[in-house]
Amino acid sequence: MKNLAQHPIVVISCRPPTANESPPADDQEADFGTGRQMQTDQHGATTPPDGDSPERQSQTGLIVLLVALLATAAVSLGIYLTPVSPEPPATKPSTAAPAAWSLEKNRPFHGTPAQDWAEGEAAIRLPEPVATGAFTAEQVGTALGKVKEFLIAGRLNRDVLSGRELEPLYAPLSANLRDALRTELEDPMSRPAFATKLAPGFRLLPGEPKINGTIHVEPGAQKGELLIKTNMVYAYAFDIDNPRQATEPIDVVTSVRIDNEFTYRDGGRWPAKHRGLDMATGRGFYFFSACPFLGQGLLAPAYADPRPKITRGAQSSLEYFDPAARLPDEITC
């Protein structure tokens, strides 16, 4: 099996007013803070911007650690890189010769945990909308529909995956988040949290990606807010010109684990540009993906990784396809 390429995804968020703030009226400009972008050095360590005071640096460090849980600045970006080389788990020696494997392009997921998952848009299953907080069931259904539209655009739309087009990704968002995301996605390392981009020179097989996961709705932190959490694994099957380059299923099947949280806002409390999907965070990992492309925020199949393979038991890979598994805090690239 390939050396398990794990890469942490960046996090972006747009801050709502705090509970003690009065939201501006429609004809007033909202002050949602000023974004401060974290810096990443050559070793992958995340540091505060130059010029920060020690007190500010300490505060910023907390933001990096908590950004997945708290909405901080208007646009907060954190990159978590902790290179390690973990030892493979001990496995019992087997006397049986391994069965030969060859890629069947009409069923590339065969032999992986994703083989029986649903595929494409139908695999993104929304919960039955019910009245939540001050939102009616119909309003909850509208919010869920926007989230699904965003996930389809970012994870399934072939034009978005190739990098030719990003407009479908922005369409379901509020005007506020749309503008913020346009700016942030100019940084390629911001993209994986919200959309998959394939490395140039690689292509997916014609079949749709396989998807597994859950979507949950709950009241938001403030009046007029819904919080929608998505916990998903997307499995992509890559084509290959020389099938002999692939010696096992995960040479061509990558697993992308992404946890997103969306805040949906509605009602007179919110200015018009903040109504709709107005806040988003994302964190996750790429698994079984070629390391040389990960630093550019790109997805490529494991067979493209020139590093030597390591041996791991087949069962040890199952967790990387489990949307309920804890996100790792280490990487092997």
Side-chain angles (χ1 to χ4, degrees):
M1 185 174 292
K2 291 283 186 185
N3 207 344
L4 303 185
Q6 306 173 7
H7 186 71
I9 304 305
V10 297
V11 182
I12 180 174
S13 67
C14 292
R15 181 179 69 84
T18 65
N20 295 325
E21 291 178 5
S22 298
D26 285 1
D27 58 350
Q28 293 178 315
E29 191 68 23
D31 179 8
F32 279 57
T34 56
R36 298 187 64 83
Q37 181 167 318
M38 302 305 295
Q39 300 171 345
T40 303
D41 65 20
Q42 62 180 334
H43 303 294
T46 305
T47 60
D50 294 335
D52 278 358
S53 66
E55 292 81 3
R56 176 66 187 175
Q57 291 178 8
S58 176
Q59 179 186 14
T60 306
L62 288 175
I63 289 175
V64 172
L65 293 174
L66 300 177
V67 68
L69 303 176
L70 303 177
T72 54
V75 175
S76 298
L77 190 62
I79 302 177
Y80 306 85
L81 296 174
T82 311
V84 296
S85 298
E87 291 295 325
T91 56
K92 294 182 179 180
S94 174
T95 57
W101 177 87
S102 61
L103 173 64
E104 297 180 58
K105 291 190 177 184
N106 62 334
R107 54 173 194 162
F109 297 100
H110 183 69
T112 75
Q115 66 181 15
D116 296 322
W117 294 358
E119 63 182 35
E121 297 182 16
I124 303 176
R125 300 184 177 95
L126 299 176
E128 185 69 24
V130 296
T132 304
F135 287 80
T136 67
E138 182 178 0
Q139 289 173 316
V140 171
T142 297
L144 286 169
K146 293 292 186 182
V147 168
K148 181 169 182 176
E149 183 181 350
F150 183 84
L151 297 179
I152 290 171
R155 306 299 173 184
L156 298 177
N157 186 304
R158 296 289 173 122
D159 287 335
V160 174
L161 294 180
S162 68
R164 292 189 296 267
E165 178 69 77
L166 280 177
E167 288 306 312
L169 189 68
Y170 304 133
L173 307 178
S174 70
N176 172 63
L177 184 55
R178 190 180 306 137
D179 291 343
L181 203 55
R182 284 183 196 276
T183 300
E184 284 308 306
L185 292 190
E186 293 176 3
D187 177 358
M189 288 304 298
S190 300
R191 181 164 175 158
F194 305 108
T196 302
K197 184 177 182 180
L198 306 182
F202 298 94
R203 63 189 182 276
L204 298 179
L205 287 166
E208 292 288 342
K210 299 267 192 170
I211 304 172
N212 189 27
T214 59
I215 299 177
H216 173 73
V217 182
E218 61 188 67
Q222 301 183 77
K223 183 179 179 181
E225 287 185 348
L226 277 178
L227 181 62
I228 302 174
K229 300 179 180 181
T230 68
N231 173 225
M232 313 293 285
V233 177
Y234 306 88
Y236 297 92
F238 283 85
D239 202 351
I240 186 170
D241 293 326
N242 179 7
R244 283 181 289 186
Q245 287 182 272
T247 59
E248 56 186 325
I250 63 163
D251 281 342
V252 293
V253 174
T254 63
S255 169
V256 176
R257 162 72 185 281
I258 301 291
D259 291 352
N260 287 120
E261 291 190 7
F262 301 91
T263 298
Y264 182 87
R265 293 174 172 142
D266 199 6
R269 173 181 174 84
W270 302 104
K273 71 176 184 178
H274 293 284
R275 294 176 194 157
L277 287 182
D278 193 48
M279 174 179 163
T281 68
R283 58 192 299 265
F285 271 71
Y286 284 173
F287 298 107
F288 314 121
S289 180
C291 280
F293 301 94
L294 294 176
Q296 306 167 59
L298 301 172
L299 186 69
Y303 76 77
D305 196 327
R307 300 180 310 161
K309 293 185 178 184
I310 62 174
T311 302
R312 295 191 63 160
Q315 292 301 313
S316 69
S317 68
L318 296 181
E319 65 188 274
Y320 301 122
F321 288 85
D322 182 1
R326 187 180 69 86
L327 280 170
D329 53 11
E330 296 176 337
I331 61 174
T332 60
C333 282

